[in-house]
Amino acid sequence: QVQLVESGGGLVQAGGSLTLSCAASGRIFGSRGMGWFRQAPGKERAFVAAISWSTGTTYYADSVKGRFTISGDSAKDTVSLQMNSLKPEDTAVYYCAATKLPTYTGARSYAYWGQGTQVTVSS
């Protein structure tokens, strides 16, 4: 299958910024959009942000709206997530994903996933 690889994770102090990137190893035929999800130990995988290729519409979880910005290139199947004003609560493994369905905020819509990159925000 097509591989997705995340990069850019690391350690950052609260209030700081970090930018994550994700790239596909090959073209994802029929991809309608890409998104970011995160999961902390003992917690459920949660939606963070997504972008629709057809309209350019972006979607954000309430917890990150106003702080995070998603952008991407449909021709390259790449997405980035700029994270500002980071909080300790943002600490998690962040995953990028690609969907062939016209829905973007639910994990079940995504068929392609990366292996994740760790983001740790210290207080």
Side-chain angles (χ1 to χ4, degrees), residues 61-76:
D62 289 340
S63 60
V64 307
K65 193 170 185 178
R67 298 189 297 123
F68 293 8
T69 302
I70 187 172
S71 60
D73 185 339
S74 62
K76 298 180 179 180

Side-chain angles (χ1 to χ4, degrees), residues 7-12 16-20 67-68 81-86 94 117-121:
S7 62
L11 302 172
V12 64
S17 299
L18 204 60
T19 299
L20 305 182
R67 298 189 297 123
F68 293 8
L81 184 69
Q82 182 178 330
M83 306 183 290
N84 297 324
S85 301
L86 284 162
Y94 284 68
T117 185
Q118 178 71 48
V119 171
T120 301
V121 184

Side-chain angles (χ1 to χ4, degrees), residues 16-41:
S17 299
L18 204 60
T19 299
L20 305 182
S21 297
C22 175
S25 62
R27 176 65 177 176
I28 301 176
F29 296 101
S31 176
R32 299 196 182 196
M34 295 182 74
W36 288 93
F37 292 78
R38 65 187 182 186
Q39 185 169 24

Side-chain angles (χ1 to χ4, degrees), residues 4-114:
L4 295 181
V5 182
E6 303 95 339
S7 62
L11 302 172
V12 64
Q13 287 188 302
S17 299
L18 204 60
T19 299
L20 305 182
S21 297
C22 175
S25 62
R27 176 65 177 176
I28 301 176
F29 296 101
S31 176
R32 299 196 182 196
M34 295 182 74
W36 288 93
F37 292 78
R38 65 187 182 186
Q39 185 169 24
K43 302 295 181 63
E44 294 288 314
R45 179 172 53 186
F47 168 75
V48 177
I51 182 168
S52 166
W53 294 141
S54 63
T55 64
T57 301
T58 55
Y59 306 83
Y60 297 95
D62 289 340
S63 60
V64 307
K65 193 170 185 178
R67 298 189 297 123
F68 293 8
T69 302
I70 187 172
S71 60
D73 185 339
S74 62
K76 298 180 179 180
D77 287 320
T78 58
V79 288
S80 294
L81 184 69
Q82 182 178 330
M83 306 183 290
N84 297 324
S85 301
L86 284 162
K87 305 174 181 179
E89 307 92 270
D90 294 318
T91 295
V93 174
Y94 284 68
Y95 300 89
C96 67
T99 179
K100 289 188 175 183
L101 299 174
T103 53
Y104 308 94
T105 61
R108 298 290 185 86
S109 297
Y110 293 80
Y112 301 91
W113 293 85

